[in-house]
Amino acid sequence: MPNTSYDALIIGSGQAGNPLATALADAGQRVALIEENLLGGSCINYGCSPVKAMLASAERAHQLRTATDFGIKGAELKTDIAAVVARKDEIIEAMREGVRSNLTEEHKGITVLEGHAAFTGPRNILFTPPTGPLQELSAKRIFINTGTRAAIPDIEGLDGLPYLSTTQLLDLKELPEHLLILGGGYIGLEFSQMYRRFGSKVTIIESGTQLLEREDDDVCEALSKILTDEGVEIVLGADVRLVSRNEQGVFTLTASTKQGERRLRGTHLLIATGRTPNTDTLGLEQAGIKLDEKGFIEVNECLETNVRGVFALGDIHGGPQFTHISYDDFRVVRDNLLTRGKRRSAKQRPLPYCVYTEPQLGRIGLNESQAQEQGLDYRVAVMPVHTIGRARETGRTEGFWKVLVDPQDRIMGAAILCAEGGELMTMFQLVMMGKLKYQELQNMVIAHPSWAEGLNNVFAKLAKPD
């Protein structure tokens, strides 16, 4: 069995692994990158990019459906879901080929290997290609970037049924008549609005008492109302204990709720109850790499495992599972390994994120629940979106802005439920990084009419919480 040695070996072609491969190769190192599935990782292949591409189609459908509200009359709307999926596939294929070109043509010193990797020791990997002989690989440093997969709940009757993961739903070329979504996190919400706008009936079933467990009650209530006004049914506090499917292909979810037992029926079932790490087939025990109780790899602030020279990047080490956090993991490792005198930490970094419903929910910093849990002194400003001129002109009046301010008049956090909420949230992130006081935003000259004009007005009713 051949044995090949590298300076660096990266397992997984995600948003941390790919740029790390190019940075190490550009620094003169011999790099091998092993990918068992598709180049680009979850973001490109079954996460951010394909979902947002299909959300764009759903937004066009909604615009056509509501065009008469703007004085525009047109033909009857019909969704061609196969064409929607084909458009998504074309976009994703181009992105995937861009990754391949970047790794194999634009940067020398990178060897891309397609197949499975498993540890046989702290610096040794057994590589199994789809065809051909096994190979033993070794490296001075090894980086694990294998991400996560859908977590399937242990519910009676579910095993063996043709339920859908988000990956499978993105490739479905038939429009569900009635889509049941098990899970009320951001993934479930984005898919619920998407398929409702495509024309499906949609029901969200969530075991918790609210959607989006990380958010304040008022944010969740407002977002719930937006979705229900579009026709999405939301069932909260539902403990699903049995799943079945009849000969006609109809799923039935039997759930215990505060109102009693309910039977929820639909033609398709999406499981969106979280993610589980892809650590179970890596042979980590052969290298002595420690996992936490949920199977994620334990790392220090430099993203190094308990085994010196072995690192874990991206969703595989637990914590917030966002592409931009994975990419920052790359920057942490890059600077600590390649930039002399520069140290970066993966701890205490900002956590911006956006839920791409319409309107979007952009979040940065602390929300009220977190500030109260930490016993912090704060004031809060809340502004309905309909007070913004741009909102009235475009008809996108749903939602509100909510900003927390500390005793020194600096921004502690913001929740922006608004059209372009992600872009507006990033403005608050810049303000927080610059440590500006809120009065500087109130007096800033901002182009009219823009969404950003809300920065002038949101603090008009800044007050202590009730």
Side-chain angles (χ1 to χ4, degrees), residues 184-187 189 206 210-216 219-220 223 355 361:
Y186 73 91
I187 294 174
L189 299 196
E206 166 59 39
Q210 67 175 39
L211 304 174
L212 298 175
E213 62 180 358
R214 284 197 289 264
E215 304 306 328
D216 288 334
V219 172
C220 295
L223 193 47
V355 181
L361 172 61

Side-chain angles (χ1 to χ4, degrees), residues 199-437:
S200 301
K201 293 181 180 178
V202 178
T203 301
I204 297 174
I205 303 102
E206 166 59 39
S207 61
T209 57
Q210 67 175 39
L211 304 174
L212 298 175
E213 62 180 358
R214 284 197 289 264
E215 304 306 328
D216 288 334
D217 291 348
D218 53 356
V219 172
C220 295
E221 290 168 5
L223 193 47
S224 295
K225 184 178 185 305
I226 288 167
L227 293 175
T228 54
D229 284 349
E230 288 198 30
V232 175
E233 180 185 14
I234 300 173
V235 182
L236 299 175
D239 180 20
V240 177
R241 54 185 179 80
L242 177 65
V243 180
S244 61
R245 186 171 182 261
N246 65 18
E247 294 180 355
Q248 290 72 43
V250 175
F251 286 89
T252 298
L253 275 61
T254 303
S256 300
T257 72
K258 288 185 178 180
Q259 293 74 37
E261 184 175 273
R262 288 195 61 180
R263 288 181 172 83
L264 303 155
R265 295 180 174 85
T267 57
H268 295 72
L269 172 61
L270 170 65
I271 303 297
T273 52
R275 310 286 295 177
T276 192
N278 292 321
T279 52
D280 49 335
T281 64
L282 294 176
L284 300 179
E285 67 281 357
Q286 300 298 319
I289 296 170
K290 291 183 179 179
L291 305 177
D292 67 15
E293 67 279 0
K294 294 183 179 180
F296 292 94
I297 298 174
E298 295 184 351
V299 294
N300 61 20
E301 67 177 7
C302 297
L303 301 174
E304 191 170 22
T305 70
N306 63 296
V307 177
R308 186 172 177 83
V310 179
F311 298 77
L313 298 85
D315 298 349
I316 197 71
H317 63 65
Q321 296 179 15
F322 297 109
T323 293
H324 45 281
I325 298 299
S326 295
Y327 188 79
D328 194 60
D329 282 358
F330 146 67
R331 289 186 290 229
V332 169
V333 172
R334 175 200 63 191
D335 288 355
N336 290 338
L337 294 182
L338 299 180
T339 307
R340 181 175 298 177
K342 185 174 183 179
R343 302 290 292 175
R344 288 178 72 114
S345 171
K347 307 296 183 184
Q348 303 301 318
R349 53 187 170 184
L351 178 57
Y353 59 91
C354 184
V355 181
Y356 285 90
T357 49
E358 190 181 10
Q360 299 169 8
L361 172 61
R363 277 270 283 110
I364 181 65
L366 298 176
N367 62 19
E368 276 204 271
S369 299
Q370 293 166 332
Q372 291 169 4
E373 288 170 3
Q374 297 179 32
L376 300 177
D377 186 14
Y378 71 93
R379 290 163 290 166
V380 62
V382 178
M383 180 184 69
V385 167
H386 67 75
T387 63
I388 301 173
R390 184 70 174 166
R392 295 193 297 271
E393 294 151 4
T394 60
R396 303 164 78 183
T397 58
E398 295 173 310
F400 62 90
W401 295 21
K402 184 178 183 180
V403 187
L404 272 61
V405 175
D406 69 13
Q408 288 74 45
D409 294 340
R410 293 190 172 92
I411 310 299
M412 301 168 65
I416 310 299
L417 181 59
C418 178
E420 310 302 337
E423 314 300 327
L424 294 164
M425 171 272 293
T426 304
M427 295 183 185
F428 281 102
Q429 183 179 359
L430 290 169
V431 168
M432 293 167 69
M433 291 181 66
K435 298 182 179 180
L436 299 180
K437 295 188 176 184

Side-chain angles (χ1 to χ4, degrees), residues 147-174:
T148 61
R149 63 184 183 273
I152 307 303
D154 184 15
I155 301 175
E156 182 182 349
L158 184 61
D159 188 35
L161 294 182
Y163 58 81
L164 299 167
S165 67
T166 55
T167 305
Q168 293 165 323
L169 183 55
L170 286 167
D171 290 333
L172 190 67
K173 294 181 175 62
E174 63 180 26

